[in-house]
Amino acid sequence: MKLTTLLFSLLLIPGSYFPRLQVVIPVGESVQLTWDNSATSKVKIFNTSSQGIDVKVVHAETKEFIRGFGLSKNSTEEVLVEEFASLLLSNPSKEAIKVGYLVSLKAEESQVFGKEVGLTFYNSSKSSIPLIIPGVMNPNLNPMSTSGVALKIGQEVFFKVNGKKYLLLKIDNTYQDGQVLDIPTLIKVRKKEFGI
């Protein structure tokens, strides 16, 4: 898959935003978005196309995977991009996709929690599962798929039932790097605990 790198030399101050930008991802290609960020940024991604894309946060120099998820058609999600990282958008579909994005500086959010743990969220069901990870992203787990995510100790993850938000898990020292979590199974257990 071909990789195109776009570099934006815009200065951000806390609480400020880039104007909303757009990028076209050609068929079967990836676009790496990099900007001059001296602190952690929050990026809102707008996929208004009729096809899904793959979103990954990678180390800007080593290209090492940090976290990622699938962004379905006609959806919007937010993702945290550390100062040493960049955003990689991939188009696995058979048509070019136009994606919008908005970058804001959220330096304080990178300092809230402690040690980071690399996890894999596995959706073993045949339905999409939307999750809420405050301050990080709100991934939509595609059916029968895995999504890698790096979460810090203390980070909470929520799921929704009938529009109401419930705590799915809170990252602590019992979680190990590389651990795979079967999200539908966890949700089933939590629903039983909450009596829903």
Side-chain angles (χ1 to χ4, degrees), residues 55-138:
V55 178
K56 292 180 181 178
V57 178
V58 298
H59 194 287
E61 294 181 4
T62 67
K63 305 300 183 286
E64 180 182 357
F65 175 81
I66 299 171
R67 69 180 67 87
F69 58 95
L71 182 58
S72 56
K73 63 181 181 180
N74 297 314
S75 60
T76 301
E77 297 294 349
E78 289 186 339
V79 61
L80 209 62
V81 181
E82 289 82 357
E83 65 275 11
F84 54 81
S86 60
L87 195 60
L88 186 66
L89 307 178
S90 301
N91 177 8
S93 74
K94 295 181 179 179
E95 62 182 64
I97 293 177
K98 184 182 290 185
V99 178
Y101 59 100
L102 185 66
V103 181
S104 65
L105 185 62
K106 295 290 182 183
E108 70 279 2
E109 293 187 3
S110 66
Q111 302 166 1
V112 174
F113 305 113
K115 176 188 169 186
E116 205 169 56
V117 181
L119 301 170
T120 297
F121 287 175
Y122 173 47
N123 181 2
S124 59
S125 74
K126 295 182 180 178
S127 302
S128 293
I129 300 177
L131 296 177
I132 301 167
I133 310 177
V136 180
M137 61 181 169
N138 297 323

Side-chain angles (χ1 to χ4, degrees), residues 173-185:
N173 290 319
T174 63
Y175 291 92
Q176 302 296 320
D177 271 323
Q179 186 173 349
V180 179
L181 303 178
D182 189 322
I183 299 303
T185 300

